[in-house]
């Protein structure tokens, strides 16, 4: 059995300490230890009260996630443990030393009283795993803090610091970390002296106040529809709280909770979201980075370029408390860039997300310069100039000459050749790609791109700095587009093909957003700007007859001045600067004309065909990325796609999604598409091999 609980008597109080490193999940040994310990304490007449705490940085991180979906369960169940706790006439005090999440907080809510160290954090994050708090949380929390606050707490799944938990009424006492055990024992004895216990299950006052308040549930549903579109668990949480309020019978409410929990447990979203939880931790493990791989100290950073990307990257450093120097070509561009940064911070202050003092502090960490020499002392410089290889190489040569020896030089390129960039310097080992996603200060993903020259310590530092900036860093190899943009190209190509063959842009976008992405390919094109490709083709002197068929519709739109959101029109019409576009019949006619010009006879598409066409070639590109070693594992691709491209976490990422469909099915369909010349290539050799062996991408080991 995994994990244990230490049992020790302190006078008339038993102190039980959960020990299951590193974060004390409720694994079999912990549940069994709690069960036996509480039973023993009940039987011992010299014991008057019980204190439960955790060893290390957590109280209890929740149920053991790795046990979900596994057959059979060793040891006592959590419900058996809780039954015993609630039946205890001896007061139980939870001494919250650190993180009390999920089942951990539910154990604390089952105790009579809660004392928290000022360093503790509590939360019910089950929703992020496609679950609901299934150990009484949906029934006890509304009884303790009311339905509205409880639903908000469970639907956001955000942890709150101990002080906030005290304000909410979740915690009874707040103490300094050193005083926690003493304070908890003192409280336990005081309550024992007064023969006082507090069983939240018996409290109905707040529920009565919520009864008949339909608006509180309507509001929770609006919140879930807006912020958690497509997710299964939020509605289940709301129904459990409705049961708590309407039934006002704890055991009946628990029955509803148990049924709904099982529904969540068996829903495919649960498996997908737990896959994502572990995948996020897995991507941090890079086989060639060992514990003893040296990591460069980065006390100060430089950024070349203060446009949208450069400014956002500078904000990331300032937000992490690292001084950053931003370089622009002239003072006008610099002031414009700094103005945008200030404006971004100001809007955070206006929305109450940042204190004004914090904004001043962050701005004071950003220094704007127009002279390369001022970057000389930076420990790491990130280039974020226009996406052109010659220009980037010019910048790197200049940086190589000016920035101190030993400093790291990184490129924010989104797909250019990092080998060539590195080779243009005298320190190729200290060069790598750090591809941030726009807006860089918001998006969580960082692709760290390893050139064939990069030292291991350069990569280790880039990965570590990414984490320090609050990003999820994923390692990619060097190839055009790296992981994300290379796969995106396959997807965009299919989207363009489908509208020429008979779908409308609105149908394609509709199918993709119903699947769970925040926007479809044509909404995305409008956001990025249709004119980028159009201008690039003009600059390169591409003749209209040589233009790829996929470019015909966007180029025609640009010829009409429809560049996308920025000009108020593109594939969609954006009334008065609105971000939500409305479809335009004129575009449908234009698409139909383009189809006929190119010799297509248009046909009907259904949404399932749109999804196959959009995602199967993307998955195929993912398979090639794996076989070429551009991504180390399928999970790396999943994390890139979820955090950089809005693939719904509840579908686990494209490679997990492929595994759940079955690789044989995907392989067959791709073969068909290849035979019909819908895709220009054959299915990836790796996909063919895994499909024939009945395996999954998850089984692939490089
Ligand atoms: C639940 O409770 C259901 C109940 O309502 C109903 C039951 C009937 N289980 O994140 P870290 C591992 S659902 C198993 O790097 P940090 C993690 O994989 C649960 N393993 O540390 C990692 O392993 P490795 C609700 C877990 O300090 C290691 O611990 N609870 C669990 O940055 C360190 O993790 C949650 O959703 C777990 N529950 O953050 C909480 N938790 O080293 C999920 C962690 O091999 N956990 N591990 O990669 C977290 O949010 C964070 O881990 C936590 C610590 C904030 C606790």
């Amino acid at each position: 059995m995994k994990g244990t609980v230490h049992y020790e008597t302190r006078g008339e109080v038993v102190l039980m300490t959960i020990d299951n490193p590193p974060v004390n999940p409720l694994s079999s040994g912990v549940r069994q230890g709690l069960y036996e310990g509480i039973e023993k304490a009940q039987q011992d007449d010299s014991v008057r009260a019980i204190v439960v705490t955790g060893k290390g940085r957590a109280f209890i991180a929740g149920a053991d996630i790795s046990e979900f979906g596994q057959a059979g369960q060793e040891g006592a169940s959590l419900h058996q443990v809780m039954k015993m706790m609630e039946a205890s006439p001896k007061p139980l005090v939870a001494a919250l030393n650190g993180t009390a999440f999920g089942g951990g907080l539910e154990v604390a809510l089952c105790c009579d009283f809660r004392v928290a160290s000022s360093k503790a954090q509590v939360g019910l994050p089950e929703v992020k795993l496609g679950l609901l708090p299934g150990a009484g949380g949906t029934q006890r929390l509304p009884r303790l803090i009311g339905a509205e606050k409880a639903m908000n707490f469970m639907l956001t799944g955000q942890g709150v610091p101990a002080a906030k938990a005290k304000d909410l009424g979740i915690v009874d006492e707040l103490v300094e970390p050193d005083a926690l055990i003493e304070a908890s024992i003192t409280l336990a004895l005081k309550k024992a002296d007064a023969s006082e216990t507090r069983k939240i299950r018996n409290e109905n006052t707040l529920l009565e106040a919520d009864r008949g308040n339909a608006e509180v549930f309507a509001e929770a549903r609006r919140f879930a529809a807006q912020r958690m579109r497509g997710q299964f668990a939020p509605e289940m949480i709301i129904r459990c709280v409705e049961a708590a309020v309407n039934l006002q019978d704890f055991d009946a409410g628990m029955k509803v909770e148990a049924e709904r929990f099982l529904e969540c447990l068996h829903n495919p979203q649960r498996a997908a979201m737990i896959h994502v939880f572990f995948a996020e931790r897995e991507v941090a493990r890079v086989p060639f980075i060992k514990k003893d791989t040296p990591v460069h100290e980065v006390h100060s950073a430089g950024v070349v370029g203060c446009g949208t990307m450069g400014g956002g990257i500078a904000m990331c450093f300032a937000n992490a408390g690292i001084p950053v120097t931003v370089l622009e070509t002239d003072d006008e561009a610099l002031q414009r860039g700094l103005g945008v940064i200030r404006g971004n911070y100001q809007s955070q202050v206006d929305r109450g997300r940042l204190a004004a003092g914090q904004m001043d502090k962050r701005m004071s960490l950003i220094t704007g310069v127009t002279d390369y020499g001022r970057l000389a002392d930076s420990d790491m410089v990130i280039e974020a100039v226009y996406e052109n290889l010659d220009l980037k190489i010019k910048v790197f040569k200049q940086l190589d000459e000016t920035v101190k020896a030993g400093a790291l030089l990184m490129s924010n390129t989104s797909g250019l050749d990092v080998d060539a960039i590195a080779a243009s310097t005298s320190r190729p080992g200290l060069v790598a790609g750090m591809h941030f996603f726009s807006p860089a200060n918001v998006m969580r993903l960082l692709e760290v791109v390893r050139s064939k020259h990069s030292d291991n310590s350069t990569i280790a530092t880039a990965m570590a700095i990414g984490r320090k900036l609050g990003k999820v860093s994923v390692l990619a190899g060097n190839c055009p587009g790296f992981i994300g943009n290379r796969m995106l190209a396959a997807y965009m190509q299919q989207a363009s093909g489908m509208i020429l063959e008979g779908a409308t842009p609105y149908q394609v976008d509709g199918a993709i957003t119903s699947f769970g992405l925040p926007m479809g390919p044509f909404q995305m094109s409008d956001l990025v700007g249709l004119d980028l490709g159009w201008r690039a083709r003009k600059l390169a002197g591409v003749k209209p007859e040589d233009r790829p068929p996929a470019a015909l519709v966007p180029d025609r739109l640009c010829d009409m001045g429809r560049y996308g959101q920025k000009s108020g029109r593109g594939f969609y019409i954006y009334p008065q600067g609105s971000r939500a576009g409305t479809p335009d019949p004129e575009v449908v006619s234009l698409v139909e004309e383009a189809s006929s010009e190119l010799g297509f006879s248009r046909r009907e598409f259904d949404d399932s065909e749109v999804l196959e066409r959009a995602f199967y070639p993307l998955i195929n590109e993912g398979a090639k990325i794996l076989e070429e070693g551009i991504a180390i594992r399928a999970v790396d691709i999943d994390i890139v796609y979820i955090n950089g491209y809005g693939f719904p976490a509840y579908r686990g990422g494209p490679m997990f999604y492929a595994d759940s469909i079955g690789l044989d099915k995907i392989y067959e369909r791709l073969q068909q598409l290849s035979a019909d010349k819908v895709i220009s290539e054959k299915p990836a050799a790796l996909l063919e091999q895994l499909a024939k062996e009945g395996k999954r991408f998850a089984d692939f080991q490089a």
Side-chain angles (χ1 to χ4, degrees):
M1 278 198 275
K2 193 164 163 256
T4 186
V5 179
H6 305 289
Y7 184 99
E8 114 193 50
T9 39
R10 299 261 185 116
E12 294 171 313
V13 175
V14 161
L15 177 66
M16 293 172 60
T17 307
I18 295 157
D19 186 358
N20 190 16
V23 290
N24 301 329
L26 289 158
S27 316
S28 50
V30 173
R31 296 193 305 269
Q32 188 62 24
L34 283 171
Y35 187 86
E36 285 170 8
I38 293 164
E39 188 174 49
K40 185 171 162 188
Q42 301 304 321
Q43 286 162 357
D44 185 341
D45 289 341
S46 66
V47 172
R48 297 175 57 221
I50 303 160
V51 171
V52 182
T53 193
K55 188 173 172 192
R57 66 184 195 260
F59 171 67
I60 301 172
D64 186 335
I65 302 170
S66 62
E67 284 182 359
F68 290 132
Q70 308 282 327
Q73 227 188 26
E74 272 188 297
S77 75
L78 191 52
H79 288 285
Q80 283 171 319
V81 173
M82 289 185 156
K83 229 179 176 154
M84 174 105 71
M85 290 169 77
E86 279 206 310
S88 168
K90 302 178 184 181
L92 274 138
V93 174
L96 306 178
N97 54 304
T99 311
F101 272 4
L105 178 56
E106 292 173 293
V107 166
L109 292 176
C110 201
C111 291
D112 300 273
F113 307 100
R114 286 151 294 281
V115 181
S117 137
S118 54
K119 284 203 172 142
Q121 209 197 359
V122 307
L124 291 173
E126 283 88 342
V127 73
K128 295 183 185 173
L129 303 173
L131 287 169
L132 55 81
T138 67
Q139 303 303 302
R140 288 193 182 90
L141 196 62
R143 285 176 160 79
L144 192 61
I145 66 173
E148 187 180 358
K149 287 182 189 159
M151 278 191 290
N152 187 277
F153 194 79
M154 292 186 275
L155 290 176
T156 61
Q158 282 307 331
V160 301
K164 175 93 193 284
K166 170 94 175 23
D167 290 346
L168 279 168
I170 295 175
V171 157
D172 302 298
E173 275 185 27
L174 192 63
V175 296
E176 285 310 308
D178 289 348
L180 179 68
I181 299 302
E182 271 322 300
S184 302
I185 290 176
T186 304
L187 181 71
L189 281 173
K190 197 170 114 195
K191 297 295 180 185
D193 287 345
S195 300
E196 193 184 334
T197 56
R198 182 187 180 188
K199 308 296 174 194
I200 296 173
R201 60 174 287 142
N202 299 329
E203 299 184 7
N204 275 354
T205 316
L206 289 179
L207 296 186
E208 271 155 28
D210 283 325
R211 212 163 195 183
N213 185 355
E215 182 48 30
V216 74
F217 296 104
E219 177 53 32
R221 288 196 165 92
R222 278 194 291 273
F223 177 86
Q226 231 175 37
R227 305 267 194 97
M228 314 164 98
R229 194 171 58 91
Q231 290 186 37
F232 181 76
E235 174 61 23
M236 296 297 108
I237 291 175
I238 296 169
R239 288 194 197 172
C240 287
V241 178
E242 268 175 337
V245 168
N246 295 334
L247 302 175
Q248 292 194 23
D249 173 316
F250 185 79
D251 291 324
M254 285 298 283
K255 201 162 160 267
V256 173
E257 184 191 88
E259 285 162 8
R260 300 293 179 207
F261 183 79
L262 276 183
E263 278 186 66
C264 290
L265 195 66
H266 295 133
N267 188 289
Q269 293 193 1
R270 191 272 307 159
M273 290 170 99
I274 287 185
H275 161 77
V276 175
F277 176 85
F278 286 118
E280 278 198 1
R281 283 147 185 87
E282 182 82 14
V283 295
R285 287 189 268 271
V286 173
F288 62 82
I289 299 178
K290 309 283 180 213
K291 276 216 168 81
D292 57 359
T293 306
V295 175
H296 295 250
E297 298 276 341
V298 178
H299 299 296
S300 63
V303 177
V304 182
C306 196
T308 311
M309 283 315 293
I313 295 169
M315 287 176 78
C316 292
F317 280 97
N319 295 350
I322 302 173
V324 57
T325 305
V326 202
L327 177 103
E328 254 302 348
T329 42
D330 57 48
D331 199 53
E332 198 188 325
L334 179 65
Q335 291 315 323
R336 200 171 41 239
L338 291 175
V340 172
I341 295 178
R342 194 171 297 111
N344 284 340
Y345 279 135
Q346 188 60 53
S347 83
Q348 287 178 25
V349 171
D350 295 346
R351 276 181 282 154
R353 297 207 178 139
L354 187 73
Q358 284 287 342
M359 165 170 167
D360 294 342
K361 202 168 161 203
R362 290 179 192 189
M363 280 308 294
S364 74
L365 288 170
I366 303 175
T367 309
V369 300
T370 53
D371 169 12
Y372 268 91
R374 301 276 302 275
L375 296 177
D377 291 331
S378 306
D379 296 319
M380 168 187 274
V381 179
I382 300 177
E383 159 280 309
V385 302
Y386 185 68
E387 199 67 358
N388 173 295
L389 188 61
D390 294 338
L391 175 63
K392 291 198 186 263
I393 287 180
K394 212 167 129 199
V395 168
F396 268 78
K397 286 194 160 148
Q398 178 97 50
L399 287 174
D400 195 28
E401 277 169 26
T402 31
V403 181
K404 68 183 178 189
L408 301 173
L409 304 181
M410 305 300 200
S411 173
N412 176 50
T413 174
S414 58
L416 296 176
D417 186 354
V418 183
D419 288 354
I421 294 174
S424 71
T425 70
S426 65
R427 55 179 108 181
L430 299 179
V431 176
M434 281 176 73
H435 176 207
F436 290 78
F437 286 68
S438 185
N441 54 313
V442 176
M443 296 290 282
R444 270 187 87 212
L445 179 65
L446 176 71
E447 266 183 327
V448 172
V449 188
R450 186 189 193 194
S451 93
K452 65 180 181 199
H453 308 285
S454 306
D455 294 339
N456 289 353
S457 59
T458 299
I459 300 303
T461 308
M463 298 286 292
I465 277 289
R467 275 196 296 280
K468 206 161 190 182
L469 303 187
K471 307 288 173 200
V472 41
S473 312
V474 178
L475 182 68
N478 183 39
C479 70
F482 314 134
I483 298 176
N485 282 344
R486 178 168 158 184
M487 289 168 69
L488 184 73
Y491 162 88
M492 294 305 282
Q493 199 177 3
Q494 286 303 312
S496 309
M498 281 190 276
I499 62 169
L500 292 173
E501 290 168 50
T504 70
Y506 314 118
Q507 187 193 358
V508 173
D509 283 352
I512 299 289
T513 51
S514 299
F515 178 82
L517 274 84
M519 61 179 92
F522 299 101
Q523 290 159 321
M524 194 174 81
S525 300
D526 271 1
L527 179 68
V528 173
L530 304 176
D531 54 324
L532 298 184
W534 177 68
R535 283 184 213 284
R537 277 184 285 282
K538 279 194 168 192
L539 266 175
V542 177
K543 293 190 198 126
E545 58 273 26
D546 296 334
R547 156 173 64 194
L552 183 57
V553 173
D555 278 8
R556 290 259 161 93
L557 289 169
C558 287
D559 291 339
M560 295 160 72
R562 301 179 69 134
Y563 300 148
Q565 269 194 31
K566 61 175 119 173
S567 64
R569 273 167 191 257
F571 280 100
Y572 292 79
I573 299 175
Y574 300 88
Q576 287 163 2
S578 137
R579 286 193 194 171
T582 50
D584 182 0
E586 197 184 353
V587 171
V588 177
S589 305
L590 190 148
V591 168
E592 285 167 356
E593 275 167 34
S595 284
S596 107
E597 253 175 68
L598 292 165
F600 288 97
S601 32
R602 292 178 71 77
R603 65 176 176 88
E604 295 275 310
F605 273 77
D606 67 22
D607 284 1
S608 64
E609 185 177 4
V610 170
L611 294 181
E612 283 183 2
R613 282 281 297 276
F615 292 126
Y616 288 12
L618 175 146
I619 289 162
N620 192 42
E621 205 57 45
K624 289 187 197 160
I625 281 171
L626 271 182
E627 73 192 18
E628 290 169 26
I630 297 296
I632 331 175
R633 299 151 293 219
V635 291
D636 294 71
I637 298 177
D638 286 337
I639 292 303
V640 163
Y641 244 78
I642 288 168
N643 292 287
Y645 300 83
F647 200 92
Y650 62 80
R651 296 199 191 264
M655 306 314 268
F656 181 89
Y657 174 63
D659 281 346
S660 64
I661 292 172
L663 298 190
D664 50 346
K665 191 166 168 242
I666 292 181
Y667 172 67
E668 265 170 44
R669 182 77 179 108
L670 282 168
Q671 259 194 326
Q672 189 60 52
L673 291 174
S674 173
D676 295 346
K677 307 234 174 317
V678 171
I679 54 169
S680 52
E681 298 149 345
K682 291 200 156 137
L686 176 68
L687 176 60
E688 179 178 2
Q689 184 200 330
L690 293 174
K692 288 188 172 159
E693 291 172 1
K695 290 190 175 158
R696 303 167 306 154
F697 285 125
D699 301 318
F700 170 75
Q701 299 274 342

